[in-house]
Amino acid sequence: MRLIVTYLIGLVFGVGISISGMANPAKVLNFFDFAGSWDPSLIFVMGGALVTTFVGYRLVLGRKAPVFDVRYHLPTRADLDVRLIGGSAVFGVGWGISGFCPGGALPALGTGRWEVFAFTGAMLVGIAVARVMQRLPLATGQRVNS
Amino acid sequence: METVFTPWQSLAGGVLIGTAAVFLMLTLGRIMGATGILSGVIWPGGPGDRGWRAALLAGMVTGPLVVFAATGRMPEIEVPAATPVFVVGGIIVGIGVSYGSGCTSGHGVCGMARLSKRSILATVTFMIATAATVYLRRHVMGG
């Protein structure tokens, strides 16, 4: 039951990414190209997602616990460190080069396009490199906010 | 390369993305972050860490197929970069999201919706870096 519900949530996310345009690097890059072929569509993606999540989280987090768990797994770190800023800046450079962010690329794997698999493979190489460099487990829900 | 402005479609997509994030919090109490979901499937942090992420990932990948079944068209994917450049971009994204603890979905949507200072700082930082990179590649380097 829990896994079926989770699968359906992933499906809603995947359909959302697909119709929003976030799975299309050309569209994503045009959003950032204010000086050229600007396409403001992604403001609507971010706006729609943010307002929905902002309101929804307020309703959900008022409950004692989630349906299938005893507690919420929310990031607790509050420090604004160099690693956060530097990592985010590096991510932005990669996003600006490729036009794919992880949330855009994962659903796009379903199109079967080899470019998406190449990107996702390369991204995993990058994550593996960072894991070795940091020698820290990255994938625990407590530490990774994304 | 011009793309068509799609405000309503993009807004609907955004609302669906937000809906998925809200329901993941309601059911599993988890943040909807693509980086953590992918790396957690491959490098699980502990027992019970992999299953739900794999289910979520399977759902995401089915998304385009459902769109195809409903409309008869796969979501458009145009890659305006040479393959080696695109792959290098992927490696850089992987390193960045690891150090930055998140990406557009985790920081940009979920974290910002929680008004997390870390996520707001991360989002502002990567938006500026992305815009600067696009500007340099398209208008300075002439790529």
Side-chain angles (χ1 to χ4, degrees), chain A residues 16-40:
Chain A
I17 291 286
S18 298
I19 66 173
S20 69
M22 289 294 290
N24 188 356
K27 205 163 170 66
V28 172
L29 293 178
N30 277 350
F31 171 69
F32 289 101
D33 193 6
F34 311 107
S37 47
W38 191 48
D39 176 353

Side-chain angles (χ1 to χ4, degrees), chain A residues 97-119:
Chain A
I97 291 173
S98 62
F100 263 135
C101 61
L106 296 182
L109 289 170
T111 62
R113 291 276 296 268
W114 69 269
E115 296 99 323
V116 191
F117 285 87
F119 174 83

Side-chain angles (χ1 to χ4, degrees), chain A residues 15, chain B residues 62-75:
Chain A
V15 170
Chain B
T62 330
L65 303 172
V66 169
V67 170
F68 179 72
T71 65
R73 283 202 325 191
M74 273 292 181

Side-chain angles (χ1 to χ4, degrees), chain A residues 7 10-11 20 24 26-27 30 33 39 41 49 66-68 73 77 79 83 87-88 90 92 107 110 113 115 123 139 145-146, chain B residues 1 3-4 6 10 14 26-27 29 33-35 43 59 61-62 64 77-78 90 96 101-103 107 118-119 126 130 138-139:
Chain A
Y7 170 83
L11 180 60
S20 69
N24 188 356
K27 205 163 170 66
N30 277 350
D33 193 6
D39 176 353
S41 302
V67 177
F68 296 120
H73 302 265
R77 293 178 64 186
D79 51 319
R83 185 175 273 213
S88 298
V90 169
R113 291 276 296 268
E115 296 99 323
M123 187 170 72
N145 189 18
S146 130
Chain B
M1 188 187 296
T3 49
V4 184
T6 53
S10 290
L26 172 69
T27 54
T35 304
W43 298 283
V61 172
T62 330
I77 296 179
E78 303 154 89
S101 313
C103 58
H107 280 314
R118 275 174 65 84
S119 291
F126 65 64
T130 309
R138 290 195 174 174
H139 302 287

Side-chain angles (χ1 to χ4, degrees), chain A residues 117-128:
Chain A
F117 285 87
F119 174 83
T120 307
M123 187 170 72
L124 282 171
V125 169
I127 295 175

